[in-house]
Amino acid sequence: MNIIQILTDAVQRHASDIFVIAGLPVSYKINGSIVRTEQDILMPAQTEQLMRAIYALAGDRNIDRVMVDGDDDFSFSLKGISRFRVNAYRQRSSLAAVIRVITFDLPDPRKIGIPDTVLQLADQTKGLVLVTGPAGSGKSTTLACMIDRINRTRSSHVITLEDPLEYLHRHNKSIVSQREISTDTESYVKALRSALRQAPDVILLGEMRDYETINVAMTAAETGHLIFSTLHTIGAANTIDRIIDAFPPNQQHQIRIQLSMVLQAVISQQIVPATNGKEVPAFEIMLVNSAIRNMIRESKVHQIDTVIYSSANEGMRTMDSSLLELFQKGIIEQSDALTYSTNPDQMLKRMKSIT
C-alpha cells in the first residue's frame, strides 16, 4: 500500500491519527484507540520510503530537516481527500511519523459539543482568551471554530500564527492571514511582533511556549487587540499560575496586575470516551469577572475554582460539572467521568445524590 492509499484509507475509516513506525504495521487512532492495519510490519527501510513519499507530497519539502534535527513539523493537503499535519521524527535510528488527519471543512461546533458560551468568546473585541488542555484534546478545533465565527460575522483582519497550519480559512467578511512558523516566518515571537504592524484586529497565537512569547502576547492584548492562544495546562487556576511562573520573581507582581486587566476567559477541555464508541469534549469555562480579577491581582488564584463553581448563572462551569452533565445524559460512563474528574471523591458523592 502506498502513502496515498494509506492516507485515503485513514480518512475513510475516520481515523484521527496515522502512525508510521518501524516494528509495527501502519496503525490508526480511531475514537481514542490504536488500531493496527492488516499490512505487513514495517522495516526501517520501508518507513524511510514512506517518509520520503510524504515529504514529496508536501511540496518536495527537504527531508534533511528530520535527518539532521531529529524532528520536523509540517502540514499538507491532498485534493479531494483531506489535510494532514505531520510530526516526523527519528526513533531507534529510523524515521517515523505521526500524521494528524484534518478535515477540509470545519466541523459544526454544536455537533461536536462546543458550548455556545465558548463560541461567544469570539464576539470579544480585545483582551486575552486562552484555550487549554492536554495534547489531542481539541484545542485547535475549538479555536478554529471561534476564528470561523469571527470570519463569518465581523469585518476584521485576523492573523493566525501556527506551527504548523491546520484548518484553512477562506476570506469571508474578514481577511484571514495564516502564517506557518518556520515556513512563512522564523518564530512565534518574531511573527507576533511583526503582526502588531500588520493592522490586526484578532491574533491567533498557536501556543504560548515561553516567557518571551507570553510577554509579547500580553502586550498585544494590552494594546487593544483580541488574542487567542493555547497552553498545555488543565484548569484555569493552573493556567494562571503557569503564566505568572514563566516570569522572574521580581516581575511577577506586575504580571499579576497586567494579566488581571487583559485576561477575558480560560477554557480548559478534555476528550472523554463516549458510550457510543466515539469521543466527546468536556469543558471548564472561566469567564473573568471582577472577583476573579481581584484574585489574580492579589495572588489568591487558589480561590478561583470556588468562584467558577458558584457562577453557573454567568455561563461558567467546572470540569466536574461538565462531566457530571455528560454522565447524567448517558453520553459517558460513570467510570470515565470519575477518571477524568479533578476531584473523583466529590464527583462520586454528587453522582450518588442524583441517582
Side-chain angles (χ1 to χ4, degrees):
M1 189 180 286
N2 64 36
I3 191 61
I4 293 179
Q5 290 173 320
I6 290 169
L7 298 173
T8 303
D9 182 53
V11 171
Q12 290 173 345
R13 294 174 65 173
H14 305 289
S16 61
D17 297 277
I18 306 162
F19 299 86
V20 179
I21 301 173
L24 289 171
V26 171
S27 302
Y28 305 145
K29 182 175 278 188
I30 302 174
N31 295 326
S33 298
I34 294 178
V35 178
R36 298 180 184 183
T37 63
E38 295 178 0
Q39 299 173 47
D40 293 336
I41 290 174
L42 294 171
M43 296 293 108
Q46 293 169 302
T47 62
E48 181 170 339
Q49 185 180 4
L50 289 171
M51 292 297 297
R52 290 188 180 278
I54 291 167
Y55 273 78
L57 290 174
D60 288 321
R61 185 181 177 87
N62 189 352
I63 200 170
D64 287 346
R65 298 189 192 200
V66 68
M67 292 292 199
V68 175
D69 298 334
D71 298 277
D72 192 18
D73 286 295
F74 58 95
S75 59
F76 67 94
S77 299
L78 281 182
K79 188 175 181 180
I81 299 175
S82 192
R83 270 184 66 74
F84 302 92
R85 186 187 76 193
V86 182
N87 179 263
Y89 60 98
R90 294 180 66 86
Q91 66 96 32
R92 298 186 183 181
S93 300
S94 65
L95 292 179
V98 178
I99 307 167
R100 173 64 54 87
V101 180
I102 305 163
T103 57
F104 282 123
D105 297 320
L106 278 167
D108 183 332
R110 289 172 180 82
K111 285 184 179 178
I112 60 173
I114 301 177
D116 286 340
T117 307
V118 172
L119 295 172
Q120 287 163 7
L121 292 170
D123 301 335
Q124 298 278 351
T125 56
K126 61 182 179 180
L128 179 64
V129 175
L130 299 174
V131 178
T132 75
S137 60
K139 300 185 295 294
S140 296
T141 302
T142 297
L143 284 170
C145 290
M146 293 162 80
I147 294 298
D148 183 61
R149 181 181 173 113
I150 293 170
N151 193 20
R152 288 185 290 101
T153 60
R154 283 159 53 182
S155 178
S156 301
H157 183 202
V158 180
I159 298 175
T160 77
L161 312 174
E162 302 170 75
D163 184 19
L165 290 182
E166 295 195 27
Y167 293 101
L168 300 184
H169 297 272
R170 298 180 180 89
H171 306 299
N172 198 329
K173 283 194 173 182
S174 292
I175 296 172
V176 185
S177 299
Q178 294 188 262
R179 307 190 70 196
E180 184 169 276
I181 307 305
S182 79
T183 300
D184 300 318
T185 183
E186 184 180 311
S187 67
Y188 274 123
V189 172
K190 186 173 182 180
L192 186 53
R193 285 182 172 144
S194 296
L196 297 177
R197 299 188 293 273
Q198 293 158 5
D201 298 292
V202 180
I203 300 173
L204 167 62
L205 179 63
E207 187 180 347
M208 297 211 300
R209 290 181 172 174
D210 50 38
Y211 153 78
E212 196 172 10
T213 312
I214 294 171
N215 197 21
V216 179
M218 297 256 290
T219 302
E222 217 172 20
T223 53
H225 301 92
L226 177 59
I227 310 294
F228 293 102
S229 193
T230 71
L231 282 165
H232 291 292
T233 49
I234 298 176
N238 290 335
T239 300
I240 292 166
D241 283 337
R242 168 75 180 277
I243 292 171
I244 293 168
D245 289 345
F247 291 82
N250 64 329
Q251 295 182 28
Q252 290 182 2
H253 176 68
Q254 178 57 36
I255 291 305
R256 283 193 192 95
I257 295 171
Q258 193 177 359
L259 187 60
S260 72
M261 293 188 294
V262 302
L263 189 63
Q264 299 288 356
V266 177
I267 308 302
S268 292
Q269 60 185 84
Q270 300 183 85
I271 295 293
V272 184
T275 52
N276 63 3
K278 297 184 179 181
E279 294 176 308
V280 64
F283 291 86
E284 176 187 281
I285 303 172
M286 183 193 79
L287 308 176
V288 182
N289 57 20
S290 56
I292 291 174
R293 292 192 195 282
N294 287 334
M295 287 174 182
I296 296 171
R297 194 179 297 117
E298 296 169 9
S299 192
K300 296 179 179 177
V301 173
H302 60 280
Q303 297 179 7
I304 285 176
D305 288 342
T306 304
V307 177
I308 296 172
Y309 183 77
S310 61
S311 302
N313 60 327
E314 295 179 32
M316 298 196 216
R317 67 165 76 168
T318 64
M319 178 60 71
D320 285 3
S321 294
S322 179
L323 291 166
L324 186 63
E325 182 181 331
L326 292 171
F327 166 67
Q328 284 180 289
K329 292 179 177 178
I331 297 172
I332 65 174
E333 298 285 359
Q334 179 177 6
S335 57
D336 288 319
L338 293 170
T339 298
Y340 289 87
S341 169
T342 56
N343 189 335
D345 292 338
Q346 187 62 34
M347 171 68 90
L348 189 57
K349 290 179 183 176
R350 292 175 71 183
M351 285 176 169
K352 288 178 178 177
S353 70
I354 60 173
T355 54

